[in-house]
Amino acid sequence: MKTDANVVPLNKATAEQSPTSPVGRLPVALIQVRDKAAQQLKQNLQSLFDNADDTLFEMADRATSNAEQNAFFEAMRDLRLKRKNIERGFLQKVFESFANLNQYEIGKPQPALDAVSFDSLSLVQNDELEETVALDAMVAKVMSRDAVALGHLTTRLNAVISKKLDDKSNPLGPTLLSEYFLDACSSLGVEIKVKLIILKLFEKYVLGSCDMLYAEANQALVAAGVLPELRSAPPRRQQRPVSPAYVQSSGEEGMPLLEGADQGVQEVFGALQDLLSQVRGTAMPRRAQVADALPITSNDLMRLLSHMQQRAPAQATIEDFDLREQLEQLLERASAKSGKARVVGEVDEDVINLVSMLFEFILDDRTLPDSLKALIGRLQIPMLKVAVLDKTFFSRGSHPARRLLNEIASAALGWVDQDDAQRDSLYQKIEQVVQRLLNDFVDDPAIFSELLAEFMAFTGDERRRSELLEQRTRDAEEGSAKAELARRQVEHALNERLLGKTLPEVVVRLLQEAWSKVLMLTCLKHGVESDEWQAALQTMDDLVWSVAPHEDPEARLRLLELVPGLLKALREGMASAAFDPFSTSEFFSQLEGLHVQAFQRFKRAAPEAETAIVEDAAHTDPSEAGIELPLLELPAAEEVEDAPAMVEVVEEIILLAPGQTRPQEPDVVLPDDDEALLQVDSLRVGSWVEIQEDEEHKLRCKLAAIIKPTGKYVFVNRTGMKVLEKTRNALAVEFRRNAVRLLDDALLFDRALESVIGNLRKLKHS
């Protein structure tokens, strides 16, 4: 076999390593492929777990039952606790699969994912079948998208190992990667619904990146001289970030970027440089032209920036801090000391100008609270250093330093300036992050990934607590809205029957104070279309009829038949509403007097009918009718009490909840097409606003719910606690007087970069 200089002979590799070590059985090229692949797979798994909490929490929020919601919460907890073990188990399987590449097979292994034949499908449990179908679909997607790159990788692996592979047995193929992940997740005690969600996340964050995985592996083998004639298509997403380990720093030697990624980075940074060059000397200061000036290396610039970082200004003076001016002074001192004029190189100067302009936008941004601006402003030097080291800082939305800045800004969105800021947990956490970077960041950008993970864990816990409280607030408001809607239905029913009528005062009070509660409970429990609601209304109608004057002699017989059932319905209804027993007894005592008077009026009006009616009524068993005998034995005329107090219901009845005051009409009534109302209608749940309460105090809050039955807009603070409630009309009035400002919740860095690019383009054409 011909030995290429770039390929380590198999016999030499095995001779130099321990025969029992798995690493010793692999050529150096494969060790490099394995290590790079493991690093990328680890990063992708971290992205999976970073997003799993949010995904499961959203599923819990949309759950239709408490049991389903609890299942998602338990899965979140289980996944968080076992995250490290799953990562370790998955990567261990990957390493073992590479270690076995040069081992001869004793027996043919069973395939992992296609072992279920059509004949045996009936024997597979439903959960396993769903799992198998999901895995097959995941693998099929990768194969349809990246089959060529995977096939080239399999061919190259077969060229340097003794064991023959196909795409299914390739240790980096989707089949085995899926099997390894499923095996690593075997300890999770989750139901199939949750497991399928986790597999979907694996497909998105791990298998979705296979194109880059295969591109890097193929390129590493090509660099080692393994079948360079095979030509693979470029990876699908050229803008995908690459590991900082493969980025070539300015002024330093390093491994080159992948061709596709390098092109994307250079295009973005090159475009920014082009814009800067066109405004330099007009809108921006031009570099001092010194004949014998020598540009400093990026290493020297990093040392100067580290010196400045250790002496970063306090928060009180950060707005007056001019990074470029401070750096210029340091260079002047260094030039004077060495006797040689030194300047910053053009590329590094462009980076400095860009970062300075980004932070000018950040410190002017009205979305950030002023007290937190001072903290975030101290990150300018660490962010500049990482931009000097890694130009993907400007092109990669997922860059750890960039994400850290965005996460801090997002968390600060709902923070309100207060006197006890030092005791606020969010303020303390941001201060801790800033201090760690100022103290510990020298030239290893890995610290940003570490701090990003810690900060996201902190904000994730805070967000979950606030969302739970926010959900309780929404539930309470929706419950209040249902009660308010029921109260309006009861008001309508009462006014429809009482308004404009003159009735005994005790009856009006009974209906307004007691029976209204019965109607409320019936409406809430059964609804206005129910038989129970109609029965409660009929009881009210019967009561009003029973105390009204009637001239028809037959009405007495109807009254005699009606009263026992009416009293029973009233007692049962008021008992169900837990109405005060003492007040109930008083009401019934007065009501009995009203009915006795009604019978007495009939007796005086038609004495000849008395005997027949009483005889007819005597056939009714009083115990069955639920009426006491004294009601049938009518008192003499002189025993009848004075006429009851009568009241005319001339004003609409308004029922108030406990602690509620009589509603006031809005000061301003706005037309439907008013601009302020349109602004209110544009608000969405989750929108953050700042409301000017008075000249000194501003309130930052988030729209948590729009309660449609009542038209209320409910706002909460960043902890999820309700802080404000406004009607649509009242909120529009606040918009009209410019007391409400919508906060931009777009990513801070992205907004800053967009603003910088926009300003440079304007300056270019001015």
Side-chain angles (χ1 to χ4, degrees):
M1 175 179 173
K2 182 179 179 181
T3 302
D4 188 88
N6 291 322
V7 181
V8 179
L10 295 178
N11 57 353
K12 182 178 179 181
T14 53
E16 290 179 352
Q17 304 290 343
S18 168
T20 60
S21 169
V23 176
R25 302 189 183 100
L26 290 179
V28 173
L30 286 195
I31 294 175
Q32 292 175 349
V33 168
R34 180 200 63 187
D35 291 347
K36 288 182 180 180
Q39 181 65 28
Q40 183 175 337
L41 289 170
K42 182 178 180 181
Q43 291 174 354
N44 293 339
L45 278 180
Q46 288 173 350
S47 297
L48 183 158
F49 288 114
D50 289 344
N51 287 275
D53 262 14
D54 290 340
T55 301
L56 291 173
F57 193 91
E58 288 174 7
M59 298 298 295
D61 194 38
R62 295 197 295 267
T64 56
S65 66
N66 288 336
E68 186 181 11
Q69 189 177 66
N70 290 335
F72 284 119
F73 284 138
E74 285 299 320
M76 288 166 56
R77 180 177 178 274
D78 200 24
L79 198 62
R80 199 180 302 129
L81 291 174
K82 296 174 181 176
R83 168 177 178 168
K84 294 296 183 185
N85 288 337
I86 294 173
E87 288 181 4
R88 190 180 301 112
F90 175 78
L91 293 175
Q92 181 64 33
K93 286 284 188 180
V94 173
F95 273 76
E96 287 176 0
S97 65
F98 271 91
N100 293 331
L101 286 179
N102 265 344
Q103 290 183 353
Y104 290 98
E105 302 178 68
I106 297 175
K108 184 177 180 61
Q110 295 297 318
L113 297 179
D114 53 352
V116 181
S117 65
F118 289 105
D119 296 334
S120 64
L121 279 179
S122 59
L123 303 176
V124 181
Q125 297 295 326
N126 288 337
D127 288 358
E128 295 175 335
L129 180 58
E130 285 192 58
E131 191 178 282
T132 302
V133 170
L135 290 172
D136 286 344
M138 291 160 52
V139 171
K141 284 183 183 179
V142 178
M143 294 304 298
S144 66
R145 188 182 64 225
D146 304 317
V148 174
L150 176 61
H152 288 178
L153 178 59
T154 301
T155 303
R156 289 190 170 100
L157 291 178
N158 282 326
V160 293
I161 62 173
S162 55
K163 182 179 180 179
K164 293 303 175 186
L165 303 175
D166 57 19
D167 290 345
K168 290 183 179 179
S169 57
N170 188 321
L172 297 181
T175 303
L176 287 186
L177 289 179
S178 300
E179 178 192 356
Y180 298 158
F181 181 74
L182 195 61
D183 186 64
C185 292
S186 60
S187 63
L188 287 176
V190 297
E191 56 188 46
I192 185 62
K193 184 175 183 179
V194 177
K195 184 176 284 188
L196 292 177
I197 292 173
I198 296 172
L199 286 176
K200 200 68 180 174
L201 291 170
F202 179 77
E203 178 186 2
K204 178 179 180 180
Y205 291 101
V206 180
L207 296 186
S209 302
C210 279
D211 56 341
M212 293 300 297
L213 184 71
Y214 301 150
E216 291 188 16
N218 275 313
Q219 181 144 342
L221 291 173
V222 168
V226 180
L227 302 179
E229 62 274 11
L230 288 178
R231 297 289 183 184
S232 300
R236 175 169 42 95
R237 296 183 305 279
Q238 294 188 350
Q239 72 274 20
R240 178 176 174 83
V242 296
S243 171
Y246 310 136
V247 177
Q248 185 173 4
S249 300
S250 175
E252 296 179 1
E253 293 184 0
M255 297 185 68
L257 288 162
L258 292 177
E259 183 179 353
D262 181 57
Q263 182 180 356
V265 173
Q266 292 305 321
E267 284 180 359
V268 173
F269 186 65
L272 292 170
Q273 281 187 296
D274 182 58
L275 286 172
L276 285 170
S277 66
Q278 295 181 45
V279 299
R280 188 177 288 117
T282 55
M284 292 185 59
R286 184 179 295 277
R287 285 194 304 158
Q289 299 295 326
V290 181
D292 57 347
L294 296 175
I296 61 173
T297 65
S298 293
N299 282 336
D300 289 338
L301 176 60
M302 290 292 291
R303 281 192 285 271
L304 288 176
L305 292 174
S306 295
H307 176 81
M308 294 171 61
Q309 179 177 298
Q310 296 299 322
R311 293 158 180 77
Q315 299 175 27
T317 60
I318 190 67
E319 292 184 1
D320 301 325
F321 177 73
D322 189 325
L323 175 63
R324 285 170 288 202
E325 182 181 341
Q326 295 291 324
L327 188 58
E328 189 66 31
Q329 291 176 4
L330 281 178
L331 281 173
E332 288 177 1
R333 286 203 293 267
S335 299
K337 188 174 181 180
S338 64
K340 296 180 180 179
R342 309 301 299 270
V343 294
V344 175
E346 184 173 324
V347 173
D348 289 336
E349 185 187 30
D350 287 339
V351 174
I352 293 170
N353 287 329
L354 285 170
V355 172
S356 296
M357 287 187 287
L358 288 171
F359 272 84
E360 285 173 6
F361 172 89
I362 290 170
L363 295 177
D364 286 337
D365 186 28
R366 294 178 63 196
T367 299
L368 286 177
D370 290 338
S371 54
L372 289 180
K373 280 183 187 178
L375 270 179
I376 295 173
R378 302 179 71 192
L379 293 175
Q380 184 172 359
I381 296 177
M383 292 295 169
L384 173 56
K385 288 171 66 176
V386 79
V388 170
L389 288 170
D390 183 4
K391 302 304 183 295
T392 64
F393 178 73
F394 298 105
S395 59
R396 268 175 52 190
S398 61
H399 193 288
R402 184 165 162 172
R403 283 187 63 194
L404 179 62
L405 187 59
N406 283 332
E407 291 292 337
I408 290 174
S410 295
L413 194 62
W415 199 84
V416 181
D417 291 330
Q418 49 192 3
D419 295 333
D420 57 345
Q422 302 297 333
R423 297 170 58 186
D424 183 87
S425 60
L426 175 61
Y427 187 95
Q428 289 178 339
K429 187 63 181 178
I430 296 175
E431 188 174 43
Q432 177 187 339
V433 169
V434 172
Q435 207 56 49
R436 277 279 310 276
L437 284 172
L438 293 176
N439 293 339
D440 300 342
F441 175 41
V442 180
D443 57 6
D444 184 5
I447 189 174
F448 285 94
S449 297
E450 178 186 343
L451 290 175
L452 174 63
E454 291 178 6
F455 190 77
M456 290 185 68
F458 169 82
T459 54
D461 289 340
E462 278 211 333
R463 184 181 64 255
R464 281 184 285 277
R465 284 194 295 269
S466 68
E467 286 178 346
L468 286 174
L469 182 56
E470 192 177 318
Q471 184 60 47
R472 294 193 190 105
T473 300
R474 278 196 295 269
D475 293 342
E477 290 299 321
E478 288 171 359
S480 298
K482 290 178 182 177
E484 180 64 25
L485 192 59
R487 193 173 292 111
R488 292 178 185 176
Q489 293 281 3
V490 175
E491 284 178 357
H492 175 73
L494 289 173
N495 287 313
E496 190 177 40
R497 287 159 176 80
L498 303 182
L499 196 60
K501 292 183 179 179
T502 300
L503 296 169
E505 184 264 349
V506 63
V507 172
V508 174
R509 281 198 304 113
L510 186 148
L511 292 175
Q512 185 171 348
E513 296 176 12
W515 200 246
S516 64
K517 293 181 172 58
V518 178
L519 291 171
M520 274 279 295
L521 289 175
T522 305
C523 183
L524 287 171
K525 189 174 182 180
H526 302 289
V528 294
E529 303 295 331
S530 64
D531 293 339
E532 290 84 355
W533 171 258
Q534 296 303 322
L537 293 180
Q538 185 61 50
T539 299
M540 181 166 56
D541 291 337
D542 290 345
L543 175 60
V544 172
W545 182 90
S546 73
V547 297
H550 299 285
E551 301 298 333
D552 184 0
E554 294 182 3
R556 183 178 187 277
L557 182 57
R558 181 190 170 193
L559 180 62
L560 194 62
E561 294 173 344
L562 177 69
V563 166
L566 173 63
L567 295 177
K568 182 180 180 182
L570 287 171
R571 286 186 185 278
E572 289 176 351
M574 293 169 73
S576 69
F579 195 71
D580 176 31
F582 179 79
S583 299
T584 300
S585 177
E586 184 180 356
F587 275 131
F588 275 89
S589 177
Q590 297 180 56
L591 188 58
E592 181 179 355
L594 290 173
H595 288 154
V596 168
Q597 289 180 12
F599 283 118
Q600 186 62 47
R601 285 194 300 272
F602 276 117
K603 181 178 180 180
R604 290 196 301 270
E608 69 281 356
E610 178 63 26
T611 302
I613 293 174
V614 172
E615 286 179 355
D616 184 65
H619 293 294
T620 303
D621 184 351
S623 61
E624 293 179 2
I627 185 170
E628 298 178 358
L629 282 175
L631 280 177
L632 297 178
E633 298 172 0
L634 301 179
E638 60 272 12
E639 296 177 7
V640 178
E641 298 180 358
D642 296 335
M646 306 293 285
V647 294
E648 182 181 2
V649 183
V650 294
E651 292 185 358
E652 285 193 356
I653 296 173
I654 298 178
L655 303 176
L656 300 178
Q660 185 180 9
T661 58
R662 184 173 289 271
Q664 297 180 349
E665 290 296 324
D667 296 332
V668 180
V669 177
L670 303 175
D672 291 338
D673 59 349
D674 187 86
E675 184 179 350
L677 282 176
L678 296 178
Q679 286 180 287
V680 174
D681 293 340
S682 68
L683 288 177
R684 296 291 177 265
V685 172
S687 299
W688 282 92
V689 297
E690 183 177 77
I691 299 178
Q692 188 80 41
E693 295 184 302
D694 51 45
E695 292 183 0
E696 296 182 357
H697 297 93
K698 294 178 181 178
L699 175 66
R700 287 192 171 212
C701 48
K702 179 174 70 171
L703 180 59
I706 302 174
I707 310 299
K708 293 183 179 179
T710 58
K712 290 180 180 177
Y713 286 68
V714 180
F715 294 87
V716 298
N717 61 14
R718 69 179 178 87
T719 66
M721 185 179 298
K722 178 182 172 181
V723 293
L724 187 67
E725 175 185 293
K726 291 276 187 184
T727 64
R728 177 172 176 259
N729 198 74
L731 197 55
V733 171
E734 297 296 320
F735 268 104
R736 289 193 77 178
R737 67 185 189 91
N738 295 322
V740 181
R741 182 169 64 87
L742 187 63
L743 299 177
D744 191 344
D745 58 357
L747 298 177
L748 177 64
F749 187 95
D750 300 67
R751 286 191 290 116
L753 187 58
E754 183 179 346
S755 174
V756 168
I757 293 173
N759 290 338
L760 289 175
R761 284 174 176 165
K762 287 180 183 177
L763 293 171
K764 171 184 173 182
H765 296 294
S766 62

